[in-house]
Amino acid sequence: MKYGITASTGKFGQKAVTFLSDLVDKTDIVAFARNTKKATEILPTGIEIRQADYTDEASLEKAFNGIDRLLFISSLPGGDYPRDKQHLNVVQAAKAAGVGFIAYTSFPHANQAESPLAADHKITENALLDSGIAHSFLRNNWYLENQKDLIKGALSGQPFLYSAGEGRVGWALEREYAEGAVKVLIHDNPKEIYEFAGPALTFAELGETIKKISNNPFAIKSLSDDKYRQELEKNGLGEAADVILMIEKLIRDGELTEKTSDLTDILGRKLTPLTEAISEI
């Protein structure tokens, strides 16, 4: 059995390769990367590394030759080459190469989500459905690491600010999502859809949890979007304000609110307690 992992030099990919190398023979693992020199330097020894680029379908088809099961890690949005086209290249190449199963990292409730962030994932999920390839959609909620700057600021005594209101988020560590993805990849009978998430919490609850391990007092404040934009601009984040506020809105609108045990079920254990996870990042 040959297992492949795309985007292997990214943070998620590196973690996934490491977890997989602990579960199967390293000679059965193929890591795909645009920069094979970098991959050789940072990934475990003993695995095979192949060059592959999401923007080049021909190179992908050649790279995927002989792969039985593929962990397809979604690319980052906003590049010069549209993400939906990158993803369609991967699906088409996998089908041409005869890949038997694909686990794809998607977006929470991607089939019905209204956020612009979900659009490329909807297209990719539909392409996988149309391809006829056996698949699992790994609909990852939010990495706790996404709030790293907010958490670090609060721990240093800065105000913990947000505009997501009472919206809830299923935060968990990125490494736990990566481990879950690998467990699905090697599963004999995986589900078609996994809604991966931690316990659904508000920003206020996250802030109160941070206070439990903080040596510095800090205020927790829910702001309007306009007030939050002003604070972001004041702190030099004006260029990123539109994206941050879009994410705050999708949280406020409930798009990351989930009650699911899919992640703990596939891991076979509880998630890292939130106070420990905060300390870890």
Side-chain angles (χ1 to χ4, degrees):
M1 182 72 71
K2 280 287 185 182
Y3 300 93
I5 296 180
T6 70
S8 64
T9 59
K11 292 179 181 179
F12 192 100
Q14 289 183 58
K15 293 176 175 67
V17 170
T18 299
F19 281 121
L20 185 59
S21 65
D22 290 334
L23 297 173
V24 304
D25 195 303
K26 289 182 180 179
T27 59
D28 292 331
I29 301 174
V30 180
F32 302 103
R34 285 181 300 176
N35 186 333
T36 55
K37 182 177 183 294
K38 178 181 178 181
T40 301
E41 292 171 349
I42 65 176
L43 296 177
T45 58
I47 67 171
E48 182 180 353
I49 295 171
R50 298 181 189 174
Q51 201 281 333
D53 188 326
Y54 284 2
T55 67
D56 185 349
E57 184 184 341
S59 79
L60 291 167
E61 183 179 340
K62 180 180 178 181
F64 291 162
N65 184 49
I67 298 299
D68 298 296
R69 301 175 73 87
L70 178 70
L71 174 55
F72 171 15
I73 299 171
S74 56
S75 64
L76 295 174
D80 293 335
Y81 194 104
R83 179 165 70 164
D84 62 335
K85 296 188 182 304
Q86 293 182 40
H87 288 187
L88 291 176
N89 286 343
V90 174
V91 175
Q92 291 161 3
K95 182 175 181 179
V99 173
F101 171 81
I102 293 178
Y104 167 66
T105 60
S106 190
F107 189 88
H109 307 292
N111 58 322
Q112 61 191 41
E114 297 182 0
S115 168
L117 292 176
D120 295 337
H121 295 292
K122 286 183 184 179
I123 291 170
T124 308
E125 286 195 3
N126 286 332
L128 282 166
L129 288 167
D130 293 341
S131 73
I133 301 172
H135 57 268
S136 288
F137 299 146
L138 314 177
R139 293 175 173 171
N140 292 343
N141 200 278
W142 230 235
Y143 305 152
L144 184 62
E145 287 87 343
N146 291 345
Q147 316 303 154
K148 184 174 182 178
D149 289 341
L150 185 62
I151 292 169
K152 288 177 67 177
L155 288 171
S156 68
Q158 298 174 23
F160 185 89
L161 308 177
Y162 60 95
S163 67
E166 294 300 309
R168 293 182 173 272
V169 184
W171 287 294
L173 290 168
E174 184 175 10
R175 65 171 173 80
E176 292 177 312
Y177 286 106
E179 183 180 355
V182 167
K183 291 287 185 70
V184 172
L185 183 67
I186 67 173
H187 200 289
D188 290 334
N189 188 30
K191 299 195 302 181
E192 182 178 19
I193 296 173
Y194 291 86
E195 294 286 349
F196 281 164
L201 302 172
T202 65
F203 271 89
E205 290 170 327
L206 175 61
E208 290 296 339
T209 304
I210 296 169
K211 280 190 172 183
K212 295 178 182 178
I213 61 171
S214 176
N215 294 321
N216 298 303
F218 60 89
I220 301 172
K221 294 182 180 180
S222 176
L223 305 176
S224 68
D225 281 349
D226 287 342
K227 288 288 187 183
Y228 194 32
R229 181 184 292 276
Q230 292 173 18
E231 291 295 331
L232 292 171
E233 292 174 348
K234 189 187 303 182
N235 288 287
L237 295 171
E239 291 185 3
D242 286 343
V243 173
I244 294 171
L245 289 170
M246 177 183 67
I247 293 171
E248 295 284 319
K249 181 180 184 303
L250 75 87
I251 293 171
R252 188 168 62 239
D253 290 345
E255 292 205 33
L256 298 186
T257 300
E258 296 187 90
K259 186 176 182 181
T260 169
S261 63
D262 282 352
L263 186 52
T264 53
D265 288 347
I266 198 70
L267 292 177
R269 59 172 173 77
K270 294 181 179 180
L271 297 177
T272 304
L274 189 55
T275 52
E276 294 180 20
I278 290 167
S279 298
E280 181 174 321
I281 68 170

